[in-house]
Amino acid sequence: MNSYSFRPIHFIILFLSIIFLIAPHVLGSPDPSKPCYGKKIKGMQCIPEGYFVRGSNTHDPDEAPEQKIYLSDFFIDLYEVTNEDFSKCIEEGSCKDCLYNGTCDYIGPAYGDLYLKPKQPVLGVSWYTAKEYCEWVGKRLPTEAEWEKAARGPKGNLFPWGNKPANCKLAVIEEDERKGCVYKKINPPNLMPTAPVGSRPAGVYGLFDMAGNSWEWVQDWYSENYKVCGEACNGKDPKGPCEGEDNCPGFDKKTLKGGSWWWPSSYARGSKRRAHVPQNFPEYHHFGFRCAKDAG
């Protein structure tokens, strides 16, 4: 029997195999099996870089036009910020600058104890307060494009789980006049509260409550539609009008995404947009948020 001999071709194959294995790490090339180059941040999920379908040509006019947008990889919170999370910021003397500088007049839910359980999403915060909290924890608000990709996935599904309409098994919404999917309708309706975060199955990318529970502030100023917004809403990593800067002449409202416990399935679509003044007054609403972070 002839013994096996190691020929030159075997050295070449071995060398190429080693290069293939280490190249993504040594050369910095993306490894599709490890989004964000394998980085991890507790309580957050990496959304891998690439194109996704943003907007819609068949729903509300402000969602048009539907188009492909390229985003760099980024991290986003698995859950909406909770009362428990937010209270830590308040206890340390932060997250209330808006009360001192006049960019809000109230912080927190106006419906009382039913909405103040530790694991419920924090509600009734201004955009400025949401921004302050995210910065306090070393993060930032997600851009509208980032939020929408995280909610819909790369192919532009209507909802985090696909294209099946939202129902109470999938999201905390209003169904049959039952706010927050409570067991039965109660009057007044504010006695039907939000649910603890993560009470429904995770959607695409493993994120919770990207449809329903609380509306979520994003970084962008609200534009009438993406065509009006122009280049600021197109290209790579769009940040909306004025690149999301705090002052934006001609724009006075910020964007919210995701629907809430108060509204039906159609409001929980990933492309659905809502506009409101960032101060959240004099017209006050029960808005929440989650944070994001650059992957780099």
Side-chain angles (χ1 to χ4, degrees), residues 99-122:
L99 293 174
Y100 306 134
N101 60 31
T103 51
C104 76
D105 66 350
Y106 187 79
I107 297 175
Y111 290 156
D113 290 347
L114 281 175
Y115 293 78
L116 289 171
K117 293 181 175 62
K119 296 300 182 183
Q120 285 175 293
V122 64

Side-chain angles (χ1 to χ4, degrees), residues 25 32 113 171 195 197 236 250 256 269:
H25 306 285
D113 290 347
V197 300
K236 182 180 179 181
L256 295 117
R269 287 183 296 102

Side-chain angles (χ1 to χ4, degrees), residues 59-276:
H59 290 95
D60 297 340
D62 67 348
E63 299 171 32
E66 179 181 298
Q67 62 187 117
K68 285 189 174 182
I69 298 293
Y70 190 94
L71 294 180
S72 303
D73 47 10
F74 65 97
F75 284 89
I76 191 166
D77 288 346
L78 290 169
Y79 302 97
E80 294 164 330
V81 174
T82 64
N83 290 316
E84 182 178 52
D85 299 327
F86 190 77
S87 66
K88 296 174 184 176
C89 188
I90 294 291
E91 289 166 4
E92 291 200 12
S94 298
C95 290
K96 46 190 175 185
D97 281 358
C98 65
L99 293 174
Y100 306 134
N101 60 31
T103 51
C104 76
D105 66 350
Y106 187 79
I107 297 175
Y111 290 156
D113 290 347
L114 281 175
Y115 293 78
L116 289 171
K117 293 181 175 62
K119 296 300 182 183
Q120 285 175 293
V122 64
L123 296 178
V125 297
S126 71
W127 178 88
Y128 295 101
T129 305
K131 178 176 182 286
E132 185 181 0
Y133 174 88
C134 288
E135 291 174 350
W136 180 73
V137 293
K139 303 177 186 178
R140 58 173 174 80
L141 284 171
T143 66
E144 182 176 5
E146 288 173 338
W147 193 100
E148 190 164 332
K149 180 178 181 179
R152 303 178 69 188
K155 298 181 180 179
N157 290 333
L158 293 179
F159 298 96
W161 50 83
N163 294 316
K164 179 182 177 181
N167 58 43
C168 281
K169 291 183 179 179
L170 297 169
V172 183
I173 56 171
E174 180 198 47
E175 189 174 84
D176 300 326
E177 299 186 333
R178 295 178 295 118
K179 308 288 188 185
C181 296
V182 297
Y183 178 69
K184 65 177 181 179
K185 181 181 176 182
I186 304 172
N187 283 311
N190 58 276
L191 295 178
M192 298 179 280
T194 56
V197 300
S199 63
R200 299 300 188 272
V204 64
Y205 300 122
L207 305 176
F208 295 89
D209 298 307
M210 294 297 285
N213 224 7
S214 77
W215 283 102
E216 299 182 22
W217 290 109
V218 295
Q219 176 67 24
D220 302 36
W221 291 99
Y222 176 83
S223 58
E224 184 179 336
N225 57 50
Y226 297 120
K227 186 175 182 179
V228 169
C229 179
E231 285 304 309
C233 287
N234 301 322
K236 182 180 179 181
D237 299 324
K239 294 179 174 64
C242 301
E243 294 293 298
E245 293 295 327
D246 286 357
N247 297 308
C248 190
F251 296 86
D252 61 359
K253 294 182 179 179
K254 288 286 187 175
T255 307
L256 295 117
K257 303 285 286 182
S260 77
W261 90 105
W262 198 263
W263 298 97
S265 174
S266 60
Y267 284 74
R269 287 183 296 102
S271 59
K272 177 71 176 177
R273 308 174 74 216
R274 181 173 181 174
H276 195 62

